[in-house]
């Protein structure tokens, strides 16, 4: 099993293949089946995220065609090398290489942290001395959080995961906490006078808090409705300029009873949810982890 550490994320990008080997009518067909043109205002962010994934797969299929690969190589060997990198790491910008280190897990228990263990990142102040532990158990690889204040995060892979009040999740370089449903207003005075305040958002209404480095609470977002998108701009929760944040990055889906689920919207750099302190999670090939400021990918040899 191998871990690859990625220390500098870059925004995602696309290659533009302009070649007579791709007829114009074929390029036009790429617009077929896209959801964004018919999407409502509320569903536009999710539709754009789905279309982005669909177009990426169509581009991948085009680039893999032998005649296109040959044309790219003839045009520029450097471009051909960048395409190779992009095919392996489609979330990098224009196929740019990443600063990568590999760690072989060749023992049953492997510690990771700033100063204790085999996998060390001594320059990361957000890591505890012993931050997490990798364990082999009955032929499977597991990750155990060691209760570090900064937490250990696992990238979402499925359609969505449930959120409970107090759960932490990371998008881009932002750390957010799901605080749960907006509390009901406190009882007013006996004479029936209503307390002055801003209008309450439509139900269901939830609270999302931004956590700043050092554990201080930053911005607080009170949002209503069944779909709450999170991203750089054009979303219900706009977090602003962040090179690792997609325009529409993630979504909270809230039901009428106040239950919430978190889903990634096809973002380039993923959405990560915190593993509960001292809990364990089984890892699979292709999983991504965040420990402090480090991002690790799990590669399990077949």
């Amino acid at each position: 099993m191998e871990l690859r550490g990625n220390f500098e994320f870059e925004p995602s990008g696309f290659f533009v293949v302009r070649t007579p080997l791709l007829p114009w009518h074929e390029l036009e067909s790429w617009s077929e089946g896209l959801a964004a043109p018919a999407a409502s205002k509320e569903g536009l962010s999710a539709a754009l995220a789905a279309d982005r994934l669909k177009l990426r797969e169509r581009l991948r299929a085009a680039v893999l065609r032998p005649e296109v690969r040959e044309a790219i190589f003839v045009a520029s060997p450097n471009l051909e090398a960048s395409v190779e990198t992009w095919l392996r790491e489609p979330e990098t910008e224009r196929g740019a290489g990443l600063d990568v280190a590999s760690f072989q897990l060749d023992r049953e228990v492997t510690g990771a942290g700033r100063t204790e263990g085999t996998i060390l990142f001594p320059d990361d102040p957000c890591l505890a001395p012993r931050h997490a532990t990798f364990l082999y158990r009955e032929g499977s690889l597991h990750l155990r959080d060691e209760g570090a204040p900064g937490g250990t995060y696992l990238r979402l892979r499925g359609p969505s995961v449930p959120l409970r009040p107090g759960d932490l999740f990371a998008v881009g370089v932002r750390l957010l906490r799901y605080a749960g449903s907006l509390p009901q207003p406190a009882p007013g005075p006996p004479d029936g006078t209503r307390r002055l305040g801003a209008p309450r958002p439509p139900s269901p209404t939830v609270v999302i808090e931004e956590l700043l480095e050092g554990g201080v609470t930053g911005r607080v977002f009170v949002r209503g409705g069944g779909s709450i998108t999170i991203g750089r701009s054009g979303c219900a929760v706009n977090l602003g300029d962040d090179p690792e944040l997609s325009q529409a990055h993630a979504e909270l889906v809230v039901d009428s009873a106040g239950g919430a689920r978190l889903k990634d919207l096809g973002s380039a750099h993923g959405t990560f949810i915190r593993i509960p302190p001292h809990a364990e999670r089984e890892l699979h090939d292709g999983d991504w982890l965040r420990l402090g400021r480090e991002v690790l990918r799990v590669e399990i040899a077949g």
Side-chain angles (χ1 to χ4, degrees):
M1 206 288 295
E2 186 175 38
L3 288 176
R4 294 187 179 273
N6 170 14
F7 310 121
E8 291 187 3
F9 267 151
E10 296 291 344
S12 177
F14 289 106
F15 291 102
V16 177
V17 182
R18 186 171 182 268
T19 166
L21 296 174
L22 292 180
W24 178 249
H25 68 83
E26 183 173 333
L27 291 175
E28 281 188 315
S29 69
W30 284 20
S31 63
E32 295 176 359
L34 298 182
S40 63
K41 182 178 179 180
E42 293 76 14
L44 182 58
S45 295
L48 287 171
D51 288 350
R52 179 176 178 275
L53 291 178
K54 187 174 294 185
L55 288 170
R56 176 189 288 177
E57 290 307 310
R58 290 174 181 176
L59 177 59
R60 175 185 289 272
V63 169
L64 288 174
R65 286 161 56 171
E67 65 272 23
V68 175
R69 296 300 298 277
E70 182 179 0
I72 290 173
F73 177 77
V74 171
S76 170
N78 289 335
L79 176 59
E80 204 264 347
S82 293
V83 171
E84 286 286 351
T85 302
W86 179 79
L87 289 170
R88 295 191 305 270
E89 298 282 352
E91 295 169 0
T92 63
E93 183 178 14
R94 300 177 181 88
L98 299 174
D99 184 10
V100 172
S102 296
F103 306 91
Q104 298 288 340
L105 301 186
D106 53 3
R107 58 189 70 184
E108 289 187 1
V109 179
T110 302
R114 194 173 72 249
T115 59
E116 300 177 13
T118 305
I119 302 174
L120 298 178
F121 303 97
D123 298 327
D124 188 341
C126 296
L127 283 175
R130 178 66 171 258
H131 199 97
T133 301
F134 296 91
L135 311 102
Y136 277 114
R137 184 179 297 117
E138 298 179 353
S140 299
L141 180 67
H142 295 255
L143 175 68
R144 181 176 66 218
D145 176 85
E146 297 295 354
T152 303
Y153 294 78
L154 182 62
R155 183 173 180 172
L156 301 187
R157 295 192 72 172
S160 64
V161 296
L163 281 181
R164 297 174 299 177
D167 281 348
L168 300 180
F169 60 98
V171 292
V173 299
R174 316 289 176 160
L175 183 59
L176 303 175
R177 176 168 55 205
Y178 174 64
S181 299
L182 182 68
Q184 292 298 317
D191 62 7
T193 304
R194 179 173 296 183
R195 299 185 182 186
L196 182 66
R200 291 174 65 91
S203 296
T205 306
V206 299
V207 180
I208 303 168
E209 301 170 339
E210 181 183 37
L211 296 185
L212 306 180
E213 193 167 288
V216 179
T217 301
R219 293 171 289 180
V220 177
F221 304 92
V222 179
R223 297 292 185 268
S227 172
I228 301 169
T229 52
I230 302 170
R232 193 170 61 246
S233 63
C235 297
V237 174
N238 296 316
L239 298 174
D241 189 26
D242 179 342
E244 298 175 12
L245 192 66
S246 296
Q247 182 169 344
H249 196 107
E251 179 186 18
L252 257 65
V253 180
V254 186
D255 60 35
S256 58
R261 299 187 68 87
L262 176 67
K263 63 185 296 187
D264 184 80
L265 294 178
S267 64
H269 297 143
T271 300
F272 292 75
I273 188 164
R274 183 176 182 175
I275 298 173
H278 303 289
E280 292 186 12
R281 292 290 184 269
E282 183 177 353
L283 299 179
H284 303 89
D285 184 56
D287 276 341
W288 292 80
L289 317 169
R290 287 182 68 164
L291 287 70
R293 295 173 178 170
E294 317 306 323
V295 179
L296 304 175
R297 185 183 65 201
V298 178
E299 294 184 357
I300 301 178

